[in-house]
């Protein structure tokens, strides 16, 4: 690692770079991700296929990004995002006729399979084994894997209570696949994410106004620049003198047990142990470059702003919109993100809340229902009572859609969810589609002039 003074002067220098200079500095510091060439080829084919049929294409980014602490990465910093927003939104975009490029954190939730994946919706809980056919009956179709007697093997089936739901999800999934409407591209680190975003945006240029960017991934704000990153696993205790570090990494017997710092219960770290202090730089903000350089002319760009403090949300969303001059910031609070979001647009009164009515809200272990409405009522310096929304309050256009059943989209229910629940993405996406249609119409009008 370089010294602190060298570090601070270099990060100051970086702050003075123009967005284009910052871009080349960042991207020239890293080798491109190994999968990038392949992803670019897939994206090119996908885009030209949909340009041909004049279909709209949305790039949905989803899930968290990691920040490695070592170049040969053993440890990394991560965030909470499972990719629910992105995966759910992708389904509603497909339902609206869009083709979707789903740029997602590897192993995070995916459109459609999200209903049957991870620990909350483990696919095995949806399955059953039918009673075994009697030993005299034929075993055709009751596969034994080809070895021995299958007479005690029942057929594996979807449990009867999940048949309708799974049929509906399966049909939509197969439709998307068969019609080449969904391209899944994974990333892991924040750098991989940024490389992919830049490439995809440029490849999307032939789409013009038919392109939409929906940036729901939870992108790390801080990282370790490559020139300060340790190559090998950071050691938690002194490497004994006289041995090579790589050999000693596996030779912990050379260190007395009492010298190893084991955690927070130790009154004082023993002298040989090392405290790990992580010194992170801000990740360069590339939304500027997306808006002004990479993205197709006339395309629509939607970013998300996540906060935990209700008093900050709307102002921070507005600041982001003003800074990057794109089209929409969707603000959400960590604790209420499944039930409410705010659309912040450039118009003077451009703040619109979309809420799922109380009776239709999904259960959420991490959510805090009594915080719904707080970010609408509160600004720094505001005084007065906290707003407690009722079903009639502040739903904007969203409420109408809830009452009429929206676009006919029956949100899919995962295991244990009530039939009555709706997903907030079923309200967000139709609103965005309307805004995108208006932008496309305007772009066409301007072209005619
Ligand atoms: C969001 O705000 C998403 O809605 C969530 C979705 C990450 C909260 P889940 O995956 O969560 O459904 O559990 N995404 C964007 C967050 C973000 O990193 N925004 C940046 C910022 O706030 C700007 S691009 O500065």
């Amino acid at each position: 690692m370089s010294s602190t003074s060298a570090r601070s002067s270099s990060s100051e220098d970086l702050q003075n770079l123009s967005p284009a200079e910052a871009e080349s500095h960042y991207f020239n510091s890293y080798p491109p991700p190994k999968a990038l060439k392949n992803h670019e080829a897939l994206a090119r084919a996908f885009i030209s296929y949909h340009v041909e049929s004049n279909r709209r294409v949305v790039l949905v980014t989803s899930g968290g990004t990691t920040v490695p602490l070592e170049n040969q990465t053993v440890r990394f910093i991560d965030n909470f995002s499972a990719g629910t927003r992105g995966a759910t939104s992708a389904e509603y975009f497909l339902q609206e006729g869009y083709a979707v490029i789903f740029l997602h954190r590897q192993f995070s939730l995916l459109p459609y399979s999200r209903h049957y994946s991870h620990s909350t919706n483990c696919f095995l809980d949806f399955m059953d084994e039918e009673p075994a056919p009697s030993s005299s009956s034929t075993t055709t179709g009751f596969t034994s894997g080809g070895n021995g007697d299958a007479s005690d093997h029942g057929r594996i089936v979807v449990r009867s209570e999940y048949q309708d739901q799974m049929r509906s999800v399966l049909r939509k999934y197969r439709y998307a696949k068969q019609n080449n409407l969904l391209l899944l591209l994974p990333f892991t680190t924040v750098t991989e994410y940024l490389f992919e975003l830049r490439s995809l945006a440029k490849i999307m240029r032939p789409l013009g106004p038919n392109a939409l960017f929906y940036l729901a991934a939870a992108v790390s704000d801080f990282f370790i620049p490559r020139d300060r990153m340790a190559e090998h696993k950071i050691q938690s205790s002194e490497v004994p003198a006289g041995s090579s570090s790589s050999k000693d990494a596996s030779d912990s017997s050379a260190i007395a047990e009492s010298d190893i710092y084991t955690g927070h219960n130790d009154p004082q770290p023993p002298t040989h142990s090392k405290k790990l202090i992580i010194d992170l730089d801000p990740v360069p903000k590339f939304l500027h470059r997306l808006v002004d350089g990479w993205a197709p002319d006339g395309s629509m760009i939607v970013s998300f702003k996540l906060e935990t403090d209700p008093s900050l949300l709307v102002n921070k969303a507005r600041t982001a919109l003003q800074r990057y001059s794109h089209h929409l910031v969707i603000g959400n609070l960590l604790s209420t993100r499944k039930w409410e979001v705010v659309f912040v647009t450039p118009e003077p009164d451009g703040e619109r809340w979309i809420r799922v009515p109380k009776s239709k809200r999904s259960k959420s272990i991490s959510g805090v229902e009594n915080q719904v409405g707080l970010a609408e009522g509160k600004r720094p310096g505001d005084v007065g009572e906290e707003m407690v929304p009722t079903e009639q309050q502040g739903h904007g256009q969203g409420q109408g859609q809830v009452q009429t059943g929206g676009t006919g989209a029956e949100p899919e229910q995962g295991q244990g969810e009530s039939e009555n629940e709706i997903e907030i993405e079923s309200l967000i996406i139709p609103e965005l589609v309307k805004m995108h249609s208006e932008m496309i119409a305007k772009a066409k009008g301007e072209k005619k002039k």
Side-chain angles (χ1 to χ4, degrees):
M1 279 195 187
S2 53
S3 75
T4 312
S5 60
R7 242 180 356 244
S8 57
S9 76
S10 76
S11 55
E12 253 165 49
D13 290 349
L14 291 181
Q15 276 167 21
N16 294 331
L17 297 179
S18 72
E21 286 166 343
E23 174 187 339
S24 27
H25 180 271
Y26 183 86
F27 289 101
N28 289 336
S29 311
Y30 293 91
K34 287 201 182 91
L36 189 67
K37 281 236 139 38
N38 179 36
H39 288 182
E40 286 174 340
L42 292 169
R44 249 180 234 113
F46 188 82
I47 298 297
S48 51
Y49 179 79
H50 293 295
V51 165
E52 196 97 322
S53 50
N54 196 29
R55 190 183 287 278
R56 296 183 194 178
V57 178
V58 58
L59 172 65
V60 174
T61 71
S62 183
T65 56
T66 68
V67 174
L69 302 189
E70 299 118 345
N71 205 18
Q72 296 189 35
T73 309
V74 173
R75 304 187 187 88
F76 53 85
I77 300 174
D78 202 353
N79 64 50
F80 70 96
S81 171
T84 312
R85 173 83 78 225
T88 311
S89 301
E91 287 180 23
Y92 290 105
F93 275 120
L94 286 160
Q95 193 156 300
E96 295 279 352
Y98 281 65
V100 175
I101 300 176
F102 191 66
L103 180 62
H104 65 283
R105 165 73 180 277
Q106 189 176 34
F107 308 130
S108 64
L109 293 171
L110 295 177
Y112 304 118
S113 75
R114 74 182 170 102
H115 300 275
Y116 310 105
S117 68
H118 295 60
S119 53
T120 41
N121 277 343
C122 171
F123 78 100
L124 290 173
D125 291 330
F126 294 80
M127 317 294 277
D128 237 340
E129 183 176 355
E130 281 185 337
S134 71
S135 47
S136 59
S137 73
T138 170
T139 57
T140 312
F142 300 79
T143 56
S144 65
N147 50 354
D149 178 16
S151 60
D152 66 338
H153 293 190
R155 214 160 56 111
I156 301 299
V157 291
V158 173
R159 292 167 69 99
S160 58
E161 63 269 40
Y162 301 122
Q163 289 277 336
D164 289 346
Q165 183 214 332
M166 196 179 277
R167 183 178 306 104
S168 152
V169 174
L170 186 63
R171 281 182 183 172
K172 290 178 195 166
Y173 171 71
R174 293 184 73 89
Y175 182 85
K177 277 198 89 171
Q178 281 161 2
N179 292 286
N180 191 25
L181 291 169
L182 178 58
L183 178 63
L184 304 177
L185 301 176
F187 63 80
T188 303
T189 68
V190 65
T191 303
E192 286 170 7
Y193 166 83
L194 291 169
F195 266 99
E196 296 272 351
L197 179 64
R198 180 172 78 154
S199 284
L200 292 171
K202 290 180 179 176
I203 291 169
M204 287 169 75
R205 281 185 191 159
L207 289 160
N210 271 349
L212 172 60
F213 292 82
Y214 183 82
L215 308 174
V219 182
S220 316
D221 284 325
F222 303 101
F223 80 130
I224 303 180
R226 187 172 163 85
D227 56 359
R228 291 195 349 238
M229 199 181 317
E231 174 62 24
H232 292 288
K233 183 189 166 211
I234 298 168
Q235 296 296 309
S236 60
S237 50
E238 291 293 353
V239 174
S243 6
S244 84
S245 61
S246 59
K247 189 175 142 241
D248 291 333
S250 57
D251 187 16
S252 57
S253 60
I255 306 163
E257 199 132 287
S258 59
D259 283 350
I260 296 172
Y261 180 46
T262 55
H264 61 279
N265 285 332
D266 292 352
Q268 219 182 332
T271 44
H272 285 98
S273 72
K274 289 178 177 174
K275 217 178 208 174
L276 177 59
I277 297 174
I278 302 170
D279 183 4
L280 301 168
D281 274 13
V283 172
K285 297 282 183 199
F286 287 121
L287 202 46
H288 248 141
R289 295 299 298 138
L290 179 71
V291 175
D292 284 344
W294 307 339
D297 285 343
S299 58
M300 179 173 179
I301 299 177
V302 180
S303 72
F304 276 78
K305 177 53 88 180
L306 171 69
E307 291 296 337
T308 56
D309 180 346
S311 72
L312 295 182
L313 181 65
V314 175
N315 283 334
K316 292 285 294 253
R318 184 155 301 289
T319 306
L321 192 70
Q322 282 160 357
R323 181 169 299 154
Y324 303 113
S325 315
H326 54 306
H327 307 101
L328 171 67
V329 176
I330 302 183
N332 53 178
L333 286 180
L334 184 68
S335 57
T336 61
R337 69 189 189 281
K338 295 204 190 307
W339 308 310
E340 65 172 2
V341 297
V342 59
F343 276 25
V344 177
T345 50
E347 294 79 49
D349 57 347
E351 173 184 334
R352 190 149 57 90
W353 284 87
I354 292 190
R355 290 202 177 91
V356 175
K358 211 175 167 64
S359 62
K360 297 184 187 243
R361 287 180 199 154
S362 57
K363 307 285 165 288
S364 161
I365 299 163
S366 57
V368 185
E369 236 190 308
N370 65 14
Q371 290 192 2
V372 171
L374 281 190
E376 181 169 7
K378 278 201 175 170
R379 300 283 185 282
D382 271 4
V383 281
E385 283 179 23
E386 286 176 0
M387 186 191 119
V388 181
T390 65
E391 297 223 349
Q392 273 67 48
Q393 231 173 344
H395 299 136
Q397 303 200 26
Q399 192 189 25
Q401 290 171 351
V402 174
Q403 288 174 335
T404 59
T407 53
E410 263 313 296
E412 300 304 337
Q413 304 301 326
Q415 192 188 23
E417 291 171 13
S418 114
E419 300 256 308
N420 199 28
E421 290 170 7
I422 68 160
E423 295 171 314
I424 193 161
E425 292 78 8
S426 72
L427 307 178
I428 296 173
I429 305 310
E431 286 305 307
L432 283 187
V433 172
K434 256 189 249 167
M435 293 171 75
H436 192 201
S437 300
E438 281 162 21
M439 278 189 63
I440 292 171
K442 212 167 139 208
K444 275 187 189 151
E446 273 164 19
K447 221 173 164 189
K448 269 188 198 156
K449 277 184 207 165

